[in-house]
Amino acid sequence: MSTATTPEAGTAPASSLLTRTGLVAGALVLALIVAAFVGARYGLLLLIGLGFGIVLEGFRFGFAGPWRQMITKRDPGGTLAQLLSIALVAIVAIPLLADAGGTLVGARAPVGFAMVGGAFVFGACMQIVMGCGSGTLVNAGSGNPVSLLALPFFAIGSFAGAYHLLWWTELGTLPLIAFDGTSGLVVTLGLLAASAGLLLFLAAPGTRRIPRRLWIAAALLAGLALLNLVVAGQPWGVVYGLGLWAAKGATALGADISASSFWGTPGNMERVSQSLLTDVTSLTNLGIIGGAFLVAVWRSGLGQGLPDLPKRAWVATVIAGFLLGYSSRIAFGCNVGAFFSGISTGSLHGWAWFVAAFGGAFVGVKLRPVLGLEGRR
Amino acid sequence: MRTRRLTAGLTVLFIAALLIFDQAQSEPVNRFQQPATIALGSGQAAGGAHCAALPD
């Protein structure tokens, strides 16, 4: 999921066997420590997060990049792979949710004005910094300086967006609509097929295929997303965890978050007081960063030079990072929590998010060079 | 020339600092009150700490 700001380090020598063994052993030891001292579920979730990071970085499976490819080159391969992965999850997750008796929940949220607007802004910002929810984590883990700078502001934005969430939902929100059971699965798969059909119809000649590596990545990602659901009881998500990191920071600096209609609820207050190592999305987020780092070192990909960007690009990164966090909270998720997990667990809001964010992506693609994020010419 | 070794190293430092801060600031983990290893079939209700969830 590296951005296009710098050339790939394709000629770098491979890391040594010792380094690679150390990387894998280190990751396993960390997961074992978490399992032993915090809890077995949490150790498993860290491993699942590491898997997400390894698959996303290892196979270069992304969200922002493929959408850009579709918009600028009418190449639908990466976006089709996303839809394939979502479909694979839906085939298992939607029936599972119907039979789980409340032990599993879907990523289901209501459609509303702020939700749609938030998704539009997120779609624009993820093109500006070439990093979505998962992409920012992966790119930071693999040493991308734009994502590294965006990440803390993403977390602050997520905290602020959650703080104001109920104000935004009161602007106008439909009742929660979800596609349940067998009929819900048929509707979801039908809509995914229709979306794929539209992409194929719009595609440039010679691009109507999914590359082999993305077939593999889509299947692996679906398997990991289902493991996340079965182990955690909830689907794969990103932005709640990031907001929680900032909420902990705000509390440590003396802020009173009990007045917030979101952070002040007993459940969220408890999470702010508990260790991040007991929070599902924090664990998978940490795992994603760690997995991407592992792949980058494995490939000896850290020798790549840093991009020479103008000042306005760094300012834009800070603002876009904040907006990524804020908008994804009022949109009830990012490309992971709303688009991937929302659609694959039958939520209508995932579809509304997809349409609105793709619209925003057109704006973001135009803004990126204006803001200097294509690098100096 | 600066490379990604610098920024990847900063990311690792950021995560390490976050975890140290978290351990210093959070309540101790009670290992005797942990959820089941796997939620499915555990009989325990799902938590709801997800970006799609409205507050309780």
Side-chain angles (χ1 to χ4, degrees), chain A residues 37-38 41-42 102 108-109 140 142-143 148 230-231 234-235 239 248 271 273-276 302 304-306 329, chain B residues 1-5 7 11 21-23 25-27 31 34-40 44 46-47 49-52:
Chain A
F37 292 98
V38 188
R41 181 186 290 192
Y42 305 120
R108 294 173 173 179
S142 61
L148 175 60
V230 165
V231 172
Q234 65 182 48
V239 296
K248 280 180 155 288
R271 280 176 201 113
S273 70
Q274 300 291 319
S275 167
L276 291 178
L302 299 180
Q304 208 174 324
L306 299 182
R329 281 317 325 236
Chain B
M1 183 178 164
R2 288 180 180 160
T3 67
R4 286 189 174 210
R5 280 190 194 89
T7 41
T11 302
F21 156 75
D22 175 55
Q23 290 307 301
Q25 194 238 5
S26 301
E27 292 172 12
R31 283 188 289 149
Q34 293 306 316
T37 304
I38 293 173
L40 180 65
Q44 296 167 340
H50 192 274
C51 45

Side-chain angles (χ1 to χ4, degrees), chain A residues 8 18 33 74 89 105 123 134 150 169-170 191 197 206 217 268 294 346:
Chain A
E8 296 300 328
L18 186 66
I33 289 171
R74 292 192 295 137
V89 176
V105 293
S134 52
T169 56
E170 283 167 7
L191 287 169
N268 286 317
L294 191 151

Side-chain angles (χ1 to χ4, degrees), chain A residues 227-301:
Chain A
L227 271 176
N228 191 114
L229 177 64
V230 165
V231 172
Q234 65 182 48
W236 180 24
V238 169
V239 296
Y240 179 90
L242 295 180
L244 185 62
W245 299 1
K248 280 180 155 288
T251 306
L253 291 172
D256 178 12
I257 60 171
S258 62
S260 163
S261 54
F262 183 90
W263 293 111
T265 60
N268 286 317
M269 289 293 279
E270 185 186 352
R271 280 176 201 113
V272 171
S273 70
Q274 300 291 319
S275 167
L276 291 178
L277 298 177
T278 62
D279 174 59
V280 172
T281 48
S282 293
L283 281 165
T284 47
N285 287 350
L286 292 169
I288 290 170
I289 295 172
F293 177 78
L294 191 151
V295 171
V297 176
W298 182 287
R299 285 177 170 157
S300 299

